[in-house]
Amino acid sequence: MWAKTYISALALAASVGLAACGNTTEPTLIPLPDEADEAMLVDVSAGELTEPSAFDLIIAESVRTDLFPGWDFVFQIAEDGSTLLWPRGAVIQEDEDSGLLLSSRTFDDLREAPEAGYVQLDSVPVAVGDVFAARSRRDPVFGSVRCRHFAKLEILEIDAGERTVSFRHLVNPNCEKRTLVPGAEE
């Protein structure tokens, strides 16, 4: 987890170092992971506090909201039984960029995240098989510079008894890059 947390800072340092040497003015890009990863979240309103209920796109990991203030969406099973993902701005009402967008494409066919159209201030219903494009909040490592990460997710399983959702995800580790092809080097 430590390495994932600081990958953005390392990318920034590398790009600054290359620019200082006169090699390029373009930042060095990090290749996308070769494979999608999987994650699980528990219901934020009824799950155990010790279990992660939120997902952070910047570090591409499930996180606990009580221990980690940086996250992009949380999972909930509503009283009526509907299963929902809540973007950050809908929960804590900050002016955040994070959002979700239901795609009509399959996980493998979603090769580039859309630029706009993300649900940011409301819950998003989810069902097994749904594929979403996702956009992170601004990466705090970059201060006031706009740096968001784009990803794709596919809902694999919803367990109403255990109150969990499992999904696979592929996150582009590069700022503002929307390519979502495993192993791509931009």
Side-chain angles (χ1 to χ4, degrees), residues 2 12 15 37-38 50 55 69-70 75-76 78 84 87 102-103 109 129 134 144 146 156 160 163 171 185:
W2 180 86
L12 177 63
S15 64
D37 204 354
E38 291 188 15
T50 58
F55 195 78
F75 171 67
Q76 179 191 29
L84 308 167
L102 182 63
S103 177
D109 287 340
S144 63
R146 187 174 198 166
L156 300 175
R163 302 186 73 84
V171 179
E185 292 190 25

Side-chain angles (χ1 to χ4, degrees), residues 33-97:
D34 289 330
E35 296 180 2
D37 204 354
E38 291 188 15
M40 183 186 74
L41 302 176
V42 299
D43 180 354
V44 69
S45 58
E48 292 290 324
L49 187 60
T50 58
E51 298 293 326
S53 59
F55 195 78
D56 182 339
L57 291 166
I58 295 170
I59 63 170
E61 289 189 13
S62 301
V63 295
R64 290 174 45 182
T65 57
D66 65 318
L67 295 179
F68 194 77
W71 50 269
D72 295 292
F73 59 86
V74 295
F75 171 67
Q76 179 191 29
I77 298 178
E79 289 182 16
D80 66 2
S82 58
T83 51
L84 308 167
L85 292 177
W86 289 85
R88 183 180 181 87
V91 176
I92 59 176
Q93 300 178 0
E94 290 179 359
D95 183 21
E96 295 290 344
D97 289 325

Side-chain angles (χ1 to χ4, degrees), residues 97 99-102 113-120 124 133 135 148 150:
D97 289 325
L100 298 163
L101 177 61
L102 182 63
E115 203 165 317
Y118 294 85
V119 175
Q120 296 171 257
V124 177
R135 183 178 65 202
R148 301 168 302 175
F150 290 86

Side-chain angles (χ1 to χ4, degrees), residues 158-173:
I158 297 170
D159 187 329
E162 293 292 318
R163 302 186 73 84
T164 61
V165 63
S166 297
F167 58 94
R168 67 177 171 152
H169 59 87
L170 182 72
V171 179
N172 189 324

Side-chain angles (χ1 to χ4, degrees), residues 102-103 105 107 124-132 153-156:
L102 182 63
S103 177
R105 297 177 184 258
F107 186 82
V124 177
V126 297
V128 172
D130 283 350
V131 174
F132 293 91
L153 338 160
E154 180 181 22
I155 306 300
L156 300 175

